[in-house]
Amino acid sequence: MRADDAKDRRPDRLDYLIHAVRGGRLIARPLTPTAERQAIVRFAMGTLVYAATIGISFLSPGAALAIHFVVAAYYVFEQVAASSS
């Protein structure tokens, strides 16, 4: 198997999130298409913030830990609101 073949079969990092949200597959209540896009963007931003804390941790471990705490607290609350329909 060539390296290019393995790369082509590797899932995108956010595929799991998109699969869960699109069409209401793995969430309690289906969302409107607009709400789906908003949820995907919000959760993708959290992933980017977690990645950024790796660099921040070299400068200030305490700040990185605080950012992790804030992002985790953000995710404690339900981020995907029910559609009104």
Side-chain angles (χ1 to χ4, degrees):
M1 175 174 22
R2 294 184 357 223
D4 291 337
D5 293 338
K7 183 179 175 186
D8 291 339
R9 282 190 249 157
R10 185 177 27 184
D12 188 28
R13 296 185 194 285
L14 296 175
D15 277 353
Y16 69 95
L17 176 63
I18 293 169
H19 176 77
V21 173
R22 292 280 157 105
R25 291 184 190 105
L26 300 175
I27 57 176
R29 295 172 297 268
L31 302 171
T32 64
T34 301
E36 285 178 354
R37 282 189 298 277
Q38 290 172 345
I40 290 168
V41 168
R42 278 195 311 273
F43 283 104
M45 292 304 293
T47 302
L48 294 174
V49 171
Y50 275 130
T53 60
I54 294 171
I56 294 169
S57 69
F58 288 104
L59 302 173
S60 175
L65 186 60
I67 293 169
H68 272 264
F69 177 76
V70 169
V71 173
Y74 174 77
Y75 284 127
V76 165
F77 302 100
E78 185 175 356
Q79 298 299 315
V80 181
S83 62
S84 58
S85 55

